[in-house]
PDB file of all heavy atoms in Angstrom:
ATOM      1  N   LEU A1374    -106.861 -39.708 -12.156  1.00 87.00           N
ATOM      2  CA  LEU A1374    -107.665 -38.634 -12.788  1.00 87.00           C
ATOM      3  C   LEU A1374    -106.781 -37.460 -13.312  1.00 87.00           C
ATOM      4  O   LEU A1374    -105.678 -37.299 -12.869  1.00 87.00           O
ATOM      5  CB  LEU A1374    -108.770 -38.127 -11.772  1.00 87.00           C
ATOM      6  CG  LEU A1374    -109.829 -39.145 -11.281  1.00 87.00           C
ATOM      7  CD1 LEU A1374    -110.784 -38.495 -10.351  1.00 87.00           C
ATOM      8  CD2 LEU A1374    -110.597 -39.730 -12.568  1.00 87.00           C
ATOM      9  N   ALA A1376    -106.782 -34.399 -12.800  1.00 84.00           N
ATOM     10  CA  ALA A1376    -106.428 -33.370 -11.847  1.00 84.00           C
ATOM     11  C   ALA A1376    -105.074 -33.682 -11.177  1.00 84.00           C
ATOM     12  O   ALA A1376    -104.342 -32.812 -10.922  1.00 84.00           O
ATOM     13  CB  ALA A1376    -107.548 -33.302 -10.803  1.00 84.00           C
ATOM     14  N   HIS A1642    -106.644 -38.978  -6.164  1.00 90.00           N
ATOM     15  CA  HIS A1642    -107.065 -37.621  -6.359  1.00 90.00           C
ATOM     16  C   HIS A1642    -107.462 -36.979  -5.187  1.00 90.00           C
ATOM     17  O   HIS A1642    -106.969 -35.759  -4.806  1.00 90.00           O
ATOM     18  CB  HIS A1642    -108.274 -37.641  -7.405  1.00 90.00           C
ATOM     19  CG  HIS A1642    -109.040 -36.451  -7.272  1.00 90.00           C
ATOM     20  ND1 HIS A1642    -108.684 -35.223  -7.688  1.00 90.00           N
ATOM     21  CD2 HIS A1642    -110.313 -36.293  -6.904  1.00 90.00           C
ATOM     22  CE1 HIS A1642    -109.564 -34.328  -7.485  1.00 90.00           C
ATOM     23  NE2 HIS A1642    -110.649 -34.970  -7.065  1.00 90.00           N
ATOM     24  N   LEU A1643    -108.273 -37.633  -4.292  1.00 92.00           N
ATOM     25  CA  LEU A1643    -108.583 -37.009  -3.020  1.00 92.00           C
ATOM     26  C   LEU A1643    -107.377 -36.835  -2.115  1.00 92.00           C
ATOM     27  O   LEU A1643    -107.266 -35.902  -1.338  1.00 92.00           O
ATOM     28  CB  LEU A1643    -109.718 -37.754  -2.343  1.00 92.00           C
ATOM     29  CG  LEU A1643    -111.194 -37.532  -2.856  1.00 92.00           C
ATOM     30  CD1 LEU A1643    -112.177 -38.609  -2.183  1.00 92.00           C
ATOM     31  CD2 LEU A1643    -111.642 -36.263  -2.642  1.00 92.00           C
ATOM     32  N   TYR A1646    -105.211 -33.962  -3.527  1.00 92.00           N
ATOM     33  CA  TYR A1646    -106.041 -32.658  -3.430  1.00 92.00           C
ATOM     34  C   TYR A1646    -106.039 -32.212  -1.901  1.00 92.00           C
ATOM     35  O   TYR A1646    -105.693 -30.962  -1.717  1.00 92.00           O
ATOM     36  CB  TYR A1646    -107.437 -32.860  -3.945  1.00 92.00           C
ATOM     37  CG  TYR A1646    -108.281 -31.634  -3.761  1.00 92.00           C
ATOM     38  CD1 TYR A1646    -107.962 -30.351  -4.489  1.00 92.00           C
ATOM     39  CD2 TYR A1646    -109.374 -31.674  -2.878  1.00 92.00           C
ATOM     40  CE1 TYR A1646    -108.721 -29.277  -4.279  1.00 92.00           C
ATOM     41  CE2 TYR A1646    -110.167 -30.504  -2.811  1.00 92.00           C
ATOM     42  CZ  TYR A1646    -109.854 -29.369  -3.349  1.00 92.00           C
ATOM     43  OH  TYR A1646    -110.524 -28.196  -3.224  1.00 92.00           O
ATOM     44  N   ARG A1675    -113.401 -27.449   2.131  1.00 92.00           N
ATOM     45  CA  ARG A1675    -113.189 -27.796   0.653  1.00 92.00           C
ATOM     46  C   ARG A1675    -112.966 -29.285   0.551  1.00 92.00           C
ATOM     47  O   ARG A1675    -113.461 -29.862  -0.486  1.00 92.00           O
ATOM     48  CB  ARG A1675    -111.938 -27.010   0.155  1.00 92.00           C
ATOM     49  CG  ARG A1675    -112.244 -25.530  -0.040  1.00 92.00           C
ATOM     50  CD  ARG A1675    -111.063 -24.848  -0.745  1.00 92.00           C
ATOM     51  NE  ARG A1675    -111.294 -23.479  -0.886  1.00 92.00           N
ATOM     52  CZ  ARG A1675    -111.363 -22.821  -1.993  1.00 92.00           C
ATOM     53  NH1 ARG A1675    -111.086 -23.395  -3.082  1.00 92.00           N
ATOM     54  NH2 ARG A1675    -111.576 -21.462  -2.056  1.00 92.00           N
ATOM     55  N   GLU A1679    -115.543 -31.849  -1.664  1.00 85.00           N
ATOM     56  CA  GLU A1679    -115.235 -32.793  -2.762  1.00 85.00           C
ATOM     57  C   GLU A1679    -115.542 -34.254  -2.466  1.00 85.00           C
ATOM     58  O   GLU A1679    -115.987 -34.989  -3.263  1.00 85.00           O
ATOM     59  CB  GLU A1679    -113.649 -32.694  -3.046  1.00 85.00           C
ATOM     60  CG  GLU A1679    -113.334 -31.304  -3.536  1.00 85.00           C
ATOM     61  CD  GLU A1679    -114.269 -30.813  -4.594  1.00 85.00           C
ATOM     62  OE1 GLU A1679    -114.795 -31.620  -5.431  1.00 85.00           O
ATOM     63  OE2 GLU A1679    -114.535 -29.650  -4.646  1.00 85.00           O
ATOM     64  N   PHE A1683    -118.213 -36.642  -4.591  1.00 80.00           N
ATOM     65  CA  PHE A1683    -117.852 -37.936  -5.114  1.00 80.00           C
ATOM     66  C   PHE A1683    -118.916 -38.971  -4.409  1.00 80.00           C
ATOM     67  O   PHE A1683    -119.317 -39.845  -5.144  1.00 80.00           O
ATOM     68  CB  PHE A1683    -116.431 -38.404  -4.847  1.00 80.00           C
ATOM     69  CG  PHE A1683    -115.501 -37.939  -5.955  1.00 80.00           C
ATOM     70  CD1 PHE A1683    -114.838 -36.851  -5.905  1.00 80.00           C
ATOM     71  CD2 PHE A1683    -115.359 -38.841  -7.061  1.00 80.00           C
ATOM     72  CE1 PHE A1683    -113.921 -36.460  -6.969  1.00 80.00           C
ATOM     73  CE2 PHE A1683    -114.604 -38.410  -8.140  1.00 80.00           C
ATOM     74  CZ  PHE A1683    -113.880 -37.194  -8.084  1.00 80.00           C
ATOM     75  N   GLU A1774    -118.338 -33.546 -15.374  1.00 44.00           N
ATOM     76  CA  GLU A1774    -118.131 -32.406 -14.466  1.00 44.00           C
ATOM     77  C   GLU A1774    -118.227 -32.873 -13.032  1.00 44.00           C
ATOM     78  O   GLU A1774    -117.537 -32.605 -12.171  1.00 44.00           O
ATOM     79  CB  GLU A1774    -119.245 -31.344 -14.799  1.00 44.00           C
ATOM     80  CG  GLU A1774    -118.580 -29.952 -14.475  1.00 44.00           C
ATOM     81  CD  GLU A1774    -119.346 -28.884 -15.222  1.00 44.00           C
ATOM     82  OE1 GLU A1774    -119.749 -29.209 -16.371  1.00 44.00           O
ATOM     83  OE2 GLU A1774    -119.440 -27.771 -14.730  1.00 44.00           O
ATOM     84  N   GLU A1775    -119.309 -33.753 -12.833  1.00 36.00           N
ATOM     85  CA  GLU A1775    -119.448 -34.325 -11.452  1.00 36.00           C
ATOM     86  C   GLU A1775    -118.274 -35.148 -11.032  1.00 36.00           C
ATOM     87  O   GLU A1775    -117.647 -34.961 -10.041  1.00 36.00           O
ATOM     88  CB  GLU A1775    -120.607 -35.230 -11.325  1.00 36.00           C
ATOM     89  CG  GLU A1775    -122.006 -34.537 -11.167  1.00 36.00           C
ATOM     90  CD  GLU A1775    -122.033 -33.725  -9.837  1.00 36.00           C
ATOM     91  OE1 GLU A1775    -121.471 -34.307  -8.853  1.00 36.00           O
ATOM     92  OE2 GLU A1775    -122.509 -32.682  -9.862  1.00 36.00           O
ATOM     93  N   ALA A1776    -117.822 -36.030 -12.016  1.00 40.00           N
ATOM     94  CA  ALA A1776    -116.705 -36.912 -11.681  1.00 40.00           C
ATOM     95  C   ALA A1776    -115.376 -36.227 -11.661  1.00 40.00           C
ATOM     96  O   ALA A1776    -114.476 -36.725 -10.947  1.00 40.00           O
ATOM     97  CB  ALA A1776    -116.731 -38.027 -12.785  1.00 40.00           C
ATOM     98  N   THR A1777    -115.305 -35.103 -12.257  1.00 46.00           N
ATOM     99  CA  THR A1777    -113.903 -34.527 -12.463  1.00 46.00           C
ATOM    100  C   THR A1777    -113.985 -32.981 -11.990  1.00 46.00           C
ATOM    101  O   THR A1777    -112.881 -32.273 -12.260  1.00 46.00           O
ATOM    102  CB  THR A1777    -113.398 -34.653 -13.925  1.00 46.00           C
ATOM    103  OG1 THR A1777    -114.303 -33.868 -14.658  1.00 46.00           O
ATOM    104  CG2 THR A1777    -113.348 -36.001 -14.353  1.00 46.00           C
ATOM    105  N   GLN A1778    -115.016 -32.671 -11.311  1.00 42.00           N
ATOM    106  CA  GLN A1778    -115.081 -31.329 -10.919  1.00 42.00           C
ATOM    107  C   GLN A1778    -113.741 -30.758 -10.264  1.00 42.00           C
ATOM    108  O   GLN A1778    -113.312 -29.631 -10.552  1.00 42.00           O
ATOM    109  CB  GLN A1778    -116.262 -31.219  -9.936  1.00 42.00           C
ATOM    110  CG  GLN A1778    -116.785 -29.712  -9.744  1.00 42.00           C
ATOM    111  CD  GLN A1778    -117.779 -29.727  -8.647  1.00 42.00           C
ATOM    112  OE1 GLN A1778    -117.487 -29.585  -7.522  1.00 42.00           O
ATOM    113  NE2 GLN A1778    -118.998 -29.719  -8.985  1.00 42.00           N
ATOM    114  N   ILE A1779    -113.260 -31.604  -9.377  1.00 42.00           N
ATOM    115  CA  ILE A1779    -112.044 -31.242  -8.670  1.00 42.00           C
ATOM    116  C   ILE A1779    -110.793 -31.009  -9.582  1.00 42.00           C
ATOM    117  O   ILE A1779    -109.975 -30.268  -9.224  1.00 42.00           O
ATOM    118  CB  ILE A1779    -111.690 -32.408  -7.696  1.00 42.00           C
ATOM    119  CG1 ILE A1779    -110.763 -31.918  -6.680  1.00 42.00           C
ATOM    120  CG2 ILE A1779    -111.363 -33.635  -8.348  1.00 42.00           C
ATOM    121  CD1 ILE A1779    -111.414 -30.905  -5.833  1.00 42.00           C
ATOM    122  N   GLN A1780    -110.833 -31.584 -10.729  1.00 47.00           N
ATOM    123  CA  GLN A1780    -109.751 -31.396 -11.642  1.00 47.00           C
ATOM    124  C   GLN A1780    -109.443 -29.915 -11.983  1.00 47.00           C
ATOM    125  O   GLN A1780    -108.331 -29.533 -11.931  1.00 47.00           O
ATOM    126  CB  GLN A1780    -109.968 -32.054 -12.926  1.00 47.00           C
ATOM    127  CG  GLN A1780    -109.839 -33.521 -12.830  1.00 47.00           C
ATOM    128  CD  GLN A1780    -110.618 -34.352 -13.876  1.00 47.00           C
ATOM    129  OE1 GLN A1780    -110.856 -33.668 -14.919  1.00 47.00           O
ATOM    130  NE2 GLN A1780    -110.809 -35.467 -13.675  1.00 47.00           N
ATOM    131  N   THR A1781    -110.509 -29.220 -12.050  1.00 50.00           N
ATOM    132  CA  THR A1781    -110.261 -27.733 -12.401  1.00 50.00           C
ATOM    133  C   THR A1781    -109.847 -27.005 -11.059  1.00 50.00           C
ATOM    134  O   THR A1781    -109.020 -26.126 -11.139  1.00 50.00           O
ATOM    135  CB  THR A1781    -111.510 -27.068 -12.884  1.00 50.00           C
ATOM    136  OG1 THR A1781    -112.606 -27.575 -12.249  1.00 50.00           O
ATOM    137  CG2 THR A1781    -111.648 -27.288 -14.379  1.00 50.00           C
ATOM    138  N   GLN A1782    -110.355 -27.494  -9.974  1.00 45.00           N
ATOM    139  CA  GLN A1782    -110.026 -26.804  -8.783  1.00 45.00           C
ATOM    140  C   GLN A1782    -108.631 -27.053  -8.343  1.00 45.00           C
ATOM    141  O   GLN A1782    -108.011 -26.110  -7.765  1.00 45.00           O
ATOM    142  CB  GLN A1782    -110.999 -27.237  -7.646  1.00 45.00           C
ATOM    143  CG  GLN A1782    -112.344 -26.552  -7.833  1.00 45.00           C
ATOM    144  CD  GLN A1782    -113.313 -27.093  -6.730  1.00 45.00           C
ATOM    145  OE1 GLN A1782    -112.931 -27.606  -5.736  1.00 45.00           O
ATOM    146  NE2 GLN A1782    -114.508 -27.035  -6.999  1.00 45.00           N
ATOM    147  N   ALA A1783    -108.136 -28.269  -8.581  1.00 45.00           N
ATOM    148  CA  ALA A1783    -106.848 -28.579  -8.191  1.00 45.00           C
ATOM    149  C   ALA A1783    -105.846 -28.104  -9.160  1.00 45.00           C
ATOM    150  O   ALA A1783    -104.666 -27.899  -9.009  1.00 45.00           O
ATOM    151  CB  ALA A1783    -106.711 -30.172  -8.050  1.00 45.00           C
ATOM    152  N   SER A1784    -106.320 -27.935 -10.453  1.00 45.00           N
ATOM    153  CA  SER A1784    -105.510 -27.622 -11.596  1.00 45.00           C
ATOM    154  C   SER A1784    -105.098 -26.187 -11.406  1.00 45.00           C
ATOM    155  O   SER A1784    -105.900 -25.257 -11.607  1.00 45.00           O
ATOM    156  CB  SER A1784    -106.268 -27.667 -12.874  1.00 45.00           C
ATOM    157  OG  SER A1784    -105.579 -28.301 -13.779  1.00 45.00           O
TER     158      SER A1784
END
Side-chain angles (χ1 to χ4, degrees):
L1374 292 180
H1642 158 65
L1643 283 174
Y1646 176 65
R1675 286 189 184 238
E1679 297 314 327
F1683 271 97
E1774 213 157 327
E1775 278 298 321
T1777 62
Q1778 199 184 83
I1779 194 68
Q1780 288 157 17
T1781 39
Q1782 287 175 19
S1784 222

